[in-house]
Amino acid sequence: MRFVVNLLLSKLFKGGSRVAIRLLVIAAIFMGSIVQANVGLAADGIDPAVTELGLFFKENFELGSMPTAYIANRDQSDKKTWRICTDIDDKNCTDASHISGTSNWDICNENSKVACVAEVWAVDSKGQKISGEFVKSLPNDPRYVMSENEQANLPQSNGVGAVWKIPKVLNSAQKDTYFVGVTTRADMNKTPGKGVSSGKFDLHDLIVGIVPVEEVSGRFPLLTISQNPDGEIGSNEGASRDGNKCVVSDITFCESIRQFPEGYRFGVTIRVGDKQQGWFSGRLSLPQVLIKDWNAGQQISIEAEPVKISSLDFVVPNALIPEKVREFIIGKSLGRKGDGVSRTQIVEFLSSENALKILPAFAPAFNDKATSTDSYWSFKTISNENVGEISKCSDNTGSLAGLVTTNSLTYSDGPPRFDPATSELVYKVASPHFEASGVVASGSYDLAIRSGVARCIYGFSSAPIKAEISIMSQNGENQVATTIVTERDGWLYLSAKGFTFSSPTVKVKMTQEKPAPVVVPAPATTPAPVVAMSSAKKSVAKSITCTKGKSRIVVKGAAPKCPTGYKRK
């Protein structure tokens, strides 16, 4: 059992490495925090004379990390007031002023109203859709079951997720089984003494993922939370017998993580009673987004290819620490595993500025090569949406504004940043140049943005948009990459593939041709008829000036008249 030791670490690992959840975790996530007993803020810095130093940067989509559970408290800053609710209507929840927890969504049924998982599928290389078949929710234990409460806005929950079968879509273990999880945080402020149904939970921090799995037999502990006499709340963890991590375990077996097959796209449809706004980030390639109305909320379908992400888990002797790293760590408070004096690994948000800077600085020490490379398929809510044009145009859209995805190990926090000086959407990434196998890592970046949001950012009209993607290396050179730009069904899709790391910058510039000025042609005039006259007079042609706004024409004839819409001057 690992117990929460410091609420001040509340945002250290959000969206960061798997250690942030599995090695650590929890309960503080219910309070808006994620902390770890052997990971701390290096308030006193890391000693430049540290015996061994390295990085622990691993992708984590946080699925299967905690059961559906709710923590009640009267004072969020005082852990002695925290209480685990055995049921949302028990005395602990009723007496509390604040309740916070994690909700793992169940599959949809005909009565679902709040949120649920509706569909899972794969698409083969020929474009054939293979529908997933629900197998079982895990763990199979009544303690993991919570009924839907529409009034309180709580989804039905059954386990931490479910295993689905996608027939004949075989993962690296030659199994057609996949774990699918959807989780959100839930928070409510309420009047002490009143039941949970007197208020409404706010569901946020959505995380959705698909994980290839193989069932491994053995004895495994159920994922549970408990509280020690000091009020600290913690969770346990399990690992499969072959050394691979379990995304979920039951008492007699574990669903051990495997790799995605090549040549397939995967998709998930979720339903949620509240309209999702803002941005998603993802570990996806070439995503397609489809959003429909569902009850008062939305049905969101996202289909995409998985991506390969290269992770880092290493230490080097002090003598091999690059000078740039020594300079970087002096005086900085960095997340870490270890005491900062002996064997220590730096653990940071993968989307943090610190991670983006220290990874390339450390590259010479790990030969710019990953320690492991694995495939992922996931997306989640972005909490940081930058400021300025992005926020202004993304807020209050009534729906999802955009999705940004990459296979880079570290990446910019939030959606792309709009640079008004260059009219570019800028996104930074940093990752090992080589995969664990030694092959050069191939970079992937995708941006799906609502056409209306893009036009708002640039002040464009409804006319077609053109876009260019450039990949700028550290030395300022423009890399060659395959780029795709398409617009359909109200979404603009931009993709860049095949660029190399370590720390390039992705830039997107959108343009729109100005419409040509409207020229009103002079109306055709009918020549006056020639009238034969015997003797005397011939008709004399007359001319008049006609105006319409700023347009001015001259009409000639025996009896000239201004065309319809024009007035005689």
Side-chain angles (χ1 to χ4, degrees), residues 383-435:
S383 56
N384 174 23
E385 292 190 5
N386 297 325
V387 293
E389 300 300 318
I390 297 293
S391 296
K392 182 184 74 174
C393 295
S394 300
D395 294 346
N396 303 316
T397 60
S399 190
L400 182 67
L403 166 67
V404 57
T405 77
T406 181
N407 71 336
S408 175
L409 179 57
T410 67
Y411 51 91
S412 292
D413 188 16
R417 177 182 58 83
F418 181 70
D419 184 349
T422 61
S423 295
E424 293 173 324
L425 293 169
V426 180
Y427 197 75
K428 294 182 179 180
V429 295
S431 197
H433 184 75
F434 298 100
E435 293 183 3

Side-chain angles (χ1 to χ4, degrees), residues 298-477:
Q298 296 171 322
Q299 175 175 290
I300 302 174
S301 300
I302 294 182
E303 179 189 295
E305 296 177 8
V307 293
K308 291 198 296 183
I309 300 175
S310 293
S311 299
L312 292 169
D313 179 5
F314 73 92
V315 294
V316 297
N318 185 279
L320 296 182
I321 299 174
E323 192 59 35
K324 287 184 178 180
V325 174
R326 294 182 191 278
E327 294 171 358
F328 184 83
I329 65 176
I330 294 175
K332 271 197 169 52
S333 294
L334 299 168
R336 70 187 184 205
K337 291 172 62 181
D339 58 10
V341 176
S342 55
R343 180 187 172 92
T344 296
Q345 287 179 293
I346 296 171
V347 185
E348 282 284 328
F349 287 132
L350 296 182
S351 59
S352 72
E353 193 68 27
N354 283 341
L356 279 168
K357 290 180 178 179
I358 201 166
L359 188 153
F362 232 133
F366 58 84
N367 296 319
D368 218 353
K369 180 182 175 182
T371 52
S372 62
T373 302
D374 302 289
S375 55
Y376 294 86
W377 193 106
S378 67
F379 64 89
K380 60 184 177 181
T381 304
I382 290 178
S383 56
N384 174 23
E385 292 190 5
N386 297 325
V387 293
E389 300 300 318
I390 297 293
S391 296
K392 182 184 74 174
C393 295
S394 300
D395 294 346
N396 303 316
T397 60
S399 190
L400 182 67
L403 166 67
V404 57
T405 77
T406 181
N407 71 336
S408 175
L409 179 57
T410 67
Y411 51 91
S412 292
D413 188 16
R417 177 182 58 83
F418 181 70
D419 184 349
T422 61
S423 295
E424 293 173 324
L425 293 169
V426 180
Y427 197 75
K428 294 182 179 180
V429 295
S431 197
H433 184 75
F434 298 100
E435 293 183 3
S437 65
V439 302
V440 175
S442 178
S444 169
Y445 171 83
D446 288 276
L447 175 64
I449 182 171
R450 279 193 177 275
S451 300
V453 174
R455 286 181 167 85
C456 172
I457 293 170
Y458 280 89
F460 287 163
S461 70
S462 59
I465 295 174
K466 294 181 179 180
E468 294 181 357
I469 309 174
S470 60
I471 313 294
M472 305 301 295
S473 300
Q474 284 176 278
N475 58 9
E477 293 182 359

Side-chain angles (χ1 to χ4, degrees), residues 213-290:
V213 292
E214 177 184 13
E215 190 168 297
V216 177
S217 298
R219 298 294 296 178
F220 301 95
L222 286 176
L223 179 67
T224 57
I225 62 171
S226 61
Q227 190 168 21
N228 71 8
D230 294 327
E232 294 170 336
I233 297 173
S235 74
N236 61 334
E237 66 160 328
S240 67
R241 293 172 63 185
D242 60 4
N244 290 322
K245 291 292 182 182
C246 300
V247 68
V248 61
S249 60
D250 214 316
I251 295 175
T252 59
F253 65 89
C254 143
E255 297 295 341
S256 191
I257 300 172
R258 297 294 182 253
Q259 303 298 318
F260 281 96
E262 298 285 344
Y264 288 91
R265 295 170 60 83
F266 293 82
V268 171
T269 294
I270 60 172
R271 294 171 179 164
V272 56
D274 296 322
K275 291 188 182 295
Q276 298 295 295
Q277 299 192 55
W279 284 75
F280 287 164
S281 68
R283 297 310 205 168
L284 311 167
S285 176
L286 298 172
Q288 296 294 320
V289 182
L290 179 63

Side-chain angles (χ1 to χ4, degrees), residues 15 55 59 61 131 222 260 321 339 459 487 553:
L55 301 178
E59 169 60 17
F61 40 77
S131 296
L222 286 176
F260 281 96
I321 299 174
D339 58 10
E487 185 175 7
I553 60 175

Side-chain angles (χ1 to χ4, degrees), residues 136-196:
K136 56 188 173 184
S137 295
L138 290 175
N140 182 19
D141 189 291
R143 289 175 295 176
Y144 290 85
V145 178
M146 183 169 289
S147 300
E148 180 179 270
N149 186 323
E150 184 179 2
Q151 187 173 350
N153 197 40
L154 277 184
Q156 178 169 306
S157 195
N158 187 0
V160 298
V163 173
W164 293 68
K165 177 180 179 180
I166 308 181
K168 299 182 180 179
V169 180
L170 305 180
N171 60 39
S172 62
Q174 297 302 297
K175 304 294 182 182
D176 58 3
T177 48
Y178 296 81
F179 173 84
V180 179
V182 179
T183 183
T184 51
R185 279 197 48 221
D187 286 280
M188 173 192 289
N189 291 315
K190 58 181 285 294
T191 302
K194 290 192 174 183
V196 167

